[in-house]
Amino acid sequence: FTGSFTTSVDETLRADPCVAGPVRVVLARADGQVLSIDTYVGPPSVAEGVADLGRVPAREASAYLLDLARQAEGRPSREAILPAVLADSADPWPALLDLVRDTDRPLETRRSAIGWLSHGIGTARIDEPRARDALLALARDEGDRREVRTRALGALMRLEQGGVPALTTLVRQTDDPWLATQALTTLGASGDPRARRFLRETAQSSSLGPELQRLAVRGLGRTSYATGADVDALRALFDRTTTPEVREEIVRVVGAVGGRENTRWLLGVARREAEPSALRRAALRAAVRGDVEVGELVALYDASGERAMRQEIINLLARRTEPAATDKLIAIARSSDDRALQRAAISRLSRSDEPRVRAALEGIVGKP
């Protein structure tokens, strides 16, 4: 252990150096029961009144601590797992699998066991097929707590070989809608190419239902992992699907990914008079998250015959600082034959302190 860590006691910051040394475990006991377990790393130091057992073989210490995790109640059960995992040359993973499956153990103990099991997955000491089967059984158990089942799905995702296939099978074959949703959500948080391919397939598969399609679209749009292939698939799907929820999600996701090409595509959707009004306006709002020029907004305003779309563009122009945006608002305020749009433009302009805007408003108000 090298480097340093910072602690805060009574709001006073103190930097303590990390030191190399054995794992030290201090057990607080009363009436023969373990009350708490504190774990340290570094040279041994024995406080007054503490019985020092000296060095204990790592395997024996780990076995004792895991036995505490299996039998103790409350806090000691959870706290015993950390030092058991840190013990050098020990093999705690089979016992952790048993703890994960033990529904009689406290929730915090099982959560800790799943967390450490997730960290251990990928090591040579864990039997991956056994871990996969145990985690799958836990995820499928409708009688168990959903928080535990969700954590089991997250641990499955860490399996190098069988994790993604197991999760995709859950999405396709489970009769539990909650489980299918959670498994797909877990896949959507991954950058694994196998998971991305499955998300693209699911987004285009109406047989799985609109809710799973929408979740797949959302997963593809995660900006940390979204690829050009993902976005191309989404834009192509937009014209093939008739499901409103899926189309709306595609618009939102493409806007979140951004980029000039995606912005142009969204503006194209906003121009389509045949599309539902709400969807066109959603596409416009998604587009302006990217690089939309004022001239493009002005052209869209002039081409649109729909009041709701024009009102949306007036709101967007009012947020722009370019002179061209102000010019268009003044033109609408002066000459629009739609009183609602004229009032909207005047309302936005009235918030400006620019002399030319004030002069224009005075001229408009002074008209008979």
Tab-separated table of all heavy atoms in Angstrom, residues 269-291:
chain	number	residue	atom	x	y	z
A	269	VAL	N	-36.312	15.981	-39.108
A	269	VAL	CA	-37.536	15.472	-38.474
A	269	VAL	C	-38.454	16.634	-38.108
A	269	VAL	O	-39.674	16.577	-38.297
A	269	VAL	CB	-37.187	14.638	-37.227
A	269	VAL	CG1	-38.464	14.242	-36.476
A	269	VAL	CG2	-36.393	13.394	-37.609
A	270	ALA	N	-37.863	17.704	-37.579
A	270	ALA	CA	-38.660	18.871	-37.174
A	270	ALA	C	-39.365	19.509	-38.368
A	270	ALA	O	-40.427	20.130	-38.208
A	270	ALA	CB	-37.762	19.893	-36.479
A	271	ARG	N	-38.824	19.368	-39.574
A	271	ARG	CA	-39.435	19.979	-40.767
A	271	ARG	C	-40.575	19.149	-41.339
A	271	ARG	O	-41.351	19.648	-42.156
A	271	ARG	CB	-38.370	20.159	-41.860
A	271	ARG	CG	-37.291	21.169	-41.526
A	271	ARG	CD	-36.402	21.418	-42.739
A	271	ARG	NE	-35.229	22.189	-42.376
A	271	ARG	CZ	-34.028	21.656	-42.152
A	271	ARG	NH1	-33.857	20.345	-42.287
A	271	ARG	NH2	-33.011	22.414	-41.818
A	272	ARG	N	-40.688	17.899	-40.934
A	272	ARG	CA	-41.678	17.013	-41.549
A	272	ARG	C	-43.078	17.367	-41.058
A	272	ARG	O	-43.460	17.037	-39.933
A	272	ARG	CB	-41.375	15.559	-41.207
A	272	ARG	CG	-40.052	15.050	-41.737
A	272	ARG	CD	-39.900	13.578	-41.375
A	272	ARG	NE	-38.559	13.089	-41.608
A	272	ARG	CZ	-38.154	11.848	-41.302
A	272	ARG	NH1	-39.020	11.004	-40.761
A	272	ARG	NH2	-36.915	11.472	-41.529
A	273	GLU	N	-43.856	17.978	-41.902
A	273	GLU	CA	-45.201	18.394	-41.533
A	273	GLU	C	-46.103	17.199	-41.217
A	273	GLU	O	-47.088	17.334	-40.485
A	273	GLU	CB	-45.822	19.213	-42.669
A	273	GLU	CG	-45.107	20.525	-42.975
A	273	GLU	CD	-45.395	21.597	-41.924
A	273	GLU	OE1	-46.320	21.407	-41.110
A	273	GLU	OE2	-44.692	22.629	-41.932
A	274	ALA	N	-45.775	16.027	-41.755
A	274	ALA	CA	-46.623	14.855	-41.529
A	274	ALA	C	-46.431	14.242	-40.144
A	274	ALA	O	-47.263	13.455	-39.691
A	274	ALA	CB	-46.337	13.795	-42.598
A	275	GLU	N	-45.333	14.613	-39.491
A	275	GLU	CA	-45.069	14.058	-38.153
A	275	GLU	C	-45.962	14.737	-37.115
A	275	GLU	O	-46.367	15.895	-37.292
A	275	GLU	CB	-43.592	14.256	-37.775
A	275	GLU	CG	-42.606	13.536	-38.660
A	275	GLU	CD	-42.622	12.025	-38.472
A	275	GLU	OE1	-43.377	11.533	-37.604
A	275	GLU	OE2	-41.905	11.331	-39.217
A	276	PRO	N	-46.264	14.040	-36.013
A	276	PRO	CA	-47.044	14.669	-34.942
A	276	PRO	C	-46.354	15.928	-34.427
A	276	PRO	O	-45.118	15.991	-34.346
A	276	PRO	CB	-47.095	13.585	-33.861
A	276	PRO	CG	-46.879	12.296	-34.599
A	276	PRO	CD	-45.945	12.641	-35.726
A	277	SER	N	-47.136	16.915	-34.079
A	277	SER	CA	-46.585	18.202	-33.646
A	277	SER	C	-45.649	18.057	-32.462
A	277	SER	O	-44.568	18.646	-32.426
A	277	SER	CB	-47.735	19.155	-33.293
A	277	SER	OG	-47.233	20.366	-32.766
A	278	ALA	N	-46.051	17.273	-31.465
A	278	ALA	CA	-45.231	17.117	-30.260
A	278	ALA	C	-43.880	16.497	-30.598
A	278	ALA	O	-42.846	16.879	-30.037
A	278	ALA	CB	-45.960	16.272	-29.228
A	279	LEU	N	-43.871	15.540	-31.512
A	279	LEU	CA	-42.619	14.891	-31.900
A	279	LEU	C	-41.712	15.862	-32.644
A	279	LEU	O	-40.492	15.890	-32.428
A	279	LEU	CB	-42.913	13.671	-32.768
A	279	LEU	CG	-41.696	12.856	-33.216
A	279	LEU	CD1	-40.947	12.291	-32.019
A	279	LEU	CD2	-42.122	11.729	-34.154
A	280	ARG	N	-42.281	16.680	-33.536
A	280	ARG	CA	-41.477	17.656	-34.278
A	280	ARG	C	-40.821	18.651	-33.318
A	280	ARG	O	-39.658	19.016	-33.461
A	280	ARG	CB	-42.355	18.380	-35.294
A	280	ARG	CG	-42.897	17.476	-36.396
A	280	ARG	CD	-43.830	18.244	-37.311
A	280	ARG	NE	-43.115	19.312	-37.987
A	280	ARG	CZ	-43.633	20.490	-38.289
A	280	ARG	NH1	-44.886	20.781	-37.936
A	280	ARG	NH2	-42.920	21.392	-38.929
A	281	ARG	N	-41.601	19.106	-32.341
A	281	ARG	CA	-41.031	20.059	-31.386
A	281	ARG	C	-39.977	19.403	-30.497
A	281	ARG	O	-38.982	20.022	-30.133
A	281	ARG	CB	-42.151	20.676	-30.547
A	281	ARG	CG	-42.927	21.743	-31.327
A	281	ARG	CD	-44.050	22.324	-30.513
A	281	ARG	NE	-45.202	21.442	-30.540
A	281	ARG	CZ	-45.917	21.059	-29.496
A	281	ARG	NH1	-45.651	21.454	-28.405
A	281	ARG	NH2	-46.942	20.276	-29.576
A	282	ALA	N	-40.195	18.135	-30.163
A	282	ALA	CA	-39.183	17.410	-29.387
A	282	ALA	C	-37.893	17.277	-30.189
A	282	ALA	O	-36.782	17.407	-29.645
A	282	ALA	CB	-39.713	16.034	-28.993
A	283	ALA	N	-38.015	17.012	-31.495
A	283	ALA	CA	-36.835	16.920	-32.356
A	283	ALA	C	-36.100	18.254	-32.418
A	283	ALA	O	-34.866	18.308	-32.397
A	283	ALA	CB	-37.244	16.473	-33.759
A	284	LEU	N	-36.859	19.341	-32.483
A	284	LEU	CA	-36.234	20.660	-32.516
A	284	LEU	C	-35.492	20.944	-31.216
A	284	LEU	O	-34.352	21.432	-31.232
A	284	LEU	CB	-37.306	21.728	-32.763
A	284	LEU	CG	-36.821	23.177	-32.767
A	284	LEU	CD1	-35.757	23.400	-33.829
A	284	LEU	CD2	-37.992	24.122	-32.974
A	285	ARG	N	-36.112	20.628	-30.080
A	285	ARG	CA	-35.439	20.854	-28.791
A	285	ARG	C	-34.191	20.000	-28.666
A	285	ARG	O	-33.183	20.433	-28.114
A	285	ARG	CB	-36.414	20.566	-27.646
A	285	ARG	CG	-37.506	21.609	-27.487
A	285	ARG	CD	-38.249	21.420	-26.181
A	285	ARG	NE	-39.011	20.174	-26.160
A	285	ARG	CZ	-40.256	20.051	-26.578
A	285	ARG	NH1	-40.910	21.106	-27.056
A	285	ARG	NH2	-40.885	18.890	-26.520
A	286	ALA	N	-34.265	18.760	-29.183
A	286	ALA	CA	-33.084	17.900	-29.147
A	286	ALA	C	-31.988	18.441	-30.057
A	286	ALA	O	-30.798	18.383	-29.732
A	286	ALA	CB	-33.459	16.476	-29.569
A	287	ALA	N	-32.383	19.006	-31.198
A	287	ALA	CA	-31.397	19.525	-32.153
A	287	ALA	C	-30.627	20.707	-31.580
A	287	ALA	O	-29.417	20.833	-31.792
A	287	ALA	CB	-32.094	19.924	-33.457
A	288	VAL	N	-31.338	21.597	-30.871
A	288	VAL	CA	-30.667	22.814	-30.398
A	288	VAL	C	-29.676	22.528	-29.280
A	288	VAL	O	-28.931	23.427	-28.865
A	288	VAL	CB	-31.682	23.881	-29.944
A	288	VAL	CG1	-32.547	24.334	-31.097
A	288	VAL	CG2	-32.528	23.379	-28.778
A	289	ARG	N	-29.635	21.301	-28.801
A	289	ARG	CA	-28.576	20.936	-27.865
A	289	ARG	C	-27.238	20.882	-28.589
A	289	ARG	O	-26.185	20.911	-27.974
A	289	ARG	CB	-28.873	19.580	-27.222
A	289	ARG	CG	-30.127	19.562	-26.371
A	289	ARG	CD	-30.410	18.194	-25.799
A	289	ARG	NE	-29.362	17.752	-24.904
A	289	ARG	CZ	-29.396	16.597	-24.238
A	289	ARG	NH1	-30.429	15.774	-24.389
A	289	ARG	NH2	-28.412	16.252	-23.431
A	290	GLY	N	-27.302	20.782	-29.905
A	290	GLY	CA	-26.090	20.749	-30.707
A	290	GLY	C	-25.818	22.095	-31.350
A	290	GLY	O	-26.205	23.142	-30.847
A	291	ASP	N	-25.186	22.056	-32.502
A	291	ASP	CA	-24.742	23.276	-33.184
A	291	ASP	C	-25.768	23.686	-34.235
A	291	ASP	O	-25.624	23.382	-35.427
A	291	ASP	CB	-23.369	23.016	-33.827
A	291	ASP	CG	-22.809	24.270	-34.474
A	291	ASP	OD1	-23.267	25.374	-34.112
A	291	ASP	OD2	-21.921	24.144	-35.336
